[in-house]
Amino acid sequence: MDVPDWVWALTIVAIVGLLAFDFVFHVRKAHVPTLREAAVWSAGYVGVALLFGVGLLLFGSGEAGPEYFAGYVTEKALSVDNLFVFLVIIASFRVPREDQQKVLLFGIAFALIARTGFIFLGAALINAFAWIFYLFGLILLLTAGSVLKNDHDDDDRKADNFVIRLAKKVIRTSEHYDGDKLFTTVDGKRAMTPMLLVMVAIGGTDILFALDSIPAIFGLTQHVYIVFTATAFSLLGLRQLYFLVDGLLDRLIYLSYGLAAILGLIGVKLILHALHENNVPFINGGEPVKVIEISTWMSLSVIVGVLVVTVVASLLSNKGKAMTAIANARRHATAYLDSEYTHDPEERERIFHKLLAERDQIVDMKPKYRQLVRDEPALRKLLDDAAAKHDEAVERGEAEPFERKGLT
């Protein structure tokens, strides 16, 4: 599929325009987005991505539309998995709730720039070396295995990774935030704030995510324009999606299995394609190998089917509900006790009411799941401390009293 330069230019201008619009009208003024705001804008970005795909179906080549949708769905699923790590980074840096949008938007912008570079590098490698399909396929198969381990705590993906340690050594760093400023003054000297550090952490993990996602989408299409647009549209709206699914991420307990299956499928598809186009001397004498290739429509059907099954199974799982309630209670109790988490009294009350709802869920859980709380004295202390702090706010007339229920 040949794409004219003016189409490329319009596409890039549109994507940059969406990011600029997002910053000017939503992120520049620090605030906590409401659920309705996050839902409306998430739906809007998904709608734009779907309309673009329909345009490719109507005006592109026969395979352009299906390849785009397969790539978009895969990249979107991988980006949801990335939110788990973003959540860990933001929590570990204690980013104020009002400023989390700016951090996420920076991460998205950095990811677009980094992945665009990887896309053109990948396209150049594919055009120059046919054996690169073998390498991409192997990377995806290995990634599928690591996803099954659900290892989100690798040193490179922690908030305190090598990039952060290097930045702290090179640049003077303050201990506290100064609004959403990147630099501040400490004892008369200019210092970097944690806001800049968390942006570096998000950007560093985006590079690592690109090493997984770019081979995946090249396994579905080799058209650079489709790879670029599917990747870009999957990232746009990720900020709103973060706030929309915040609290539900832990519920997707089977997502890792679905992603492993999808990456494994694409890895096999790449290796089969590599065999079909083989010119490696020590494989079949450098001649192509007659193998069955997985069609784009088949890939799209399997990807959508696997995601639907894993998401539905996660949402219906009693274990998923229990783990979500416990994880969210821990997170909201920690946030409520953190004086720097938010300076908005309404947001603090919202956090505490969320905590009460999660407490009620825990109380109503089956005994075997309530035992998970009994086995974690640190969690019980955290919840008791949050209740005690709220009692102090009630005595000062800053909060409404609540009904007490035994957690254990």
Side-chain angles (χ1 to χ4, degrees), residues 350-389:
R350 187 194 71 84
I351 293 171
F352 190 75
H353 283 290
K354 293 276 287 185
L355 178 58
L356 291 182
E358 287 140 12
R359 176 207 61 181
D360 292 342
Q361 290 181 43
I362 294 172
V363 170
D364 295 336
M365 287 190 307
K366 293 181 179 180
K368 66 177 180 179
Y369 297 126
R370 285 204 303 272
Q371 187 63 40
L372 296 175
V373 180
R374 295 191 185 98
D375 293 340
E376 291 193 49
L379 173 58
R380 286 190 293 165
K381 183 178 186 304
L382 194 64
L383 298 175
D384 290 340
D385 289 346
K389 184 166 185 176

Side-chain angles (χ1 to χ4, degrees), residues 172 184-191:
R172 180 183 174 86
T184 188
T185 302
V186 179
D187 298 330
K189 296 182 179 179
R190 190 173 178 79

Side-chain angles (χ1 to χ4, degrees), residues 223-285:
H223 294 297
V224 177
Y225 182 76
I226 296 176
V227 172
F228 172 75
T229 52
T231 301
F233 282 120
S234 72
L235 290 172
L236 291 173
L238 192 60
R239 175 184 64 81
Q240 293 88 344
L241 186 63
Y242 175 88
F243 290 96
L244 183 62
V245 302
D246 183 22
L248 290 177
L249 288 174
D250 298 288
R251 184 82 169 265
L252 303 177
I253 59 174
Y254 299 125
L255 180 63
S256 60
Y257 297 101
L259 290 176
I262 291 170
L263 293 175
L265 168 72
I266 300 174
V268 171
K269 177 180 169 69
L270 273 170
I271 291 175
L272 289 175
H273 181 73
L275 290 170
H276 190 267
E277 303 290 332
N278 180 62
N279 61 5
V280 178
F282 57 83
I283 298 178
N284 198 37

Side-chain angles (χ1 to χ4, degrees), residues 90 95 99-107 195 198-199 202:
I90 287 173
V95 180
D99 298 320
Q100 290 179 6
Q101 293 195 96
K102 181 169 287 188
V103 170
L104 290 167
L105 187 63
F106 169 84
M195 180 63 70
V198 71
M199 288 183 175
I202 293 287

Side-chain angles (χ1 to χ4, degrees), residues 129-157:
F129 309 105
W131 55 262
I132 206 70
F133 286 110
Y134 288 114
L135 178 60
F136 280 2
L138 181 61
I139 289 173
L140 291 183
L141 291 176
L142 293 174
T143 302
S146 67
V147 168
L148 281 177
K149 296 178 182 178
N150 200 25
D151 189 5
H152 287 149
D153 293 325
D154 290 338
D155 183 64
D156 289 336
R157 293 189 176 188

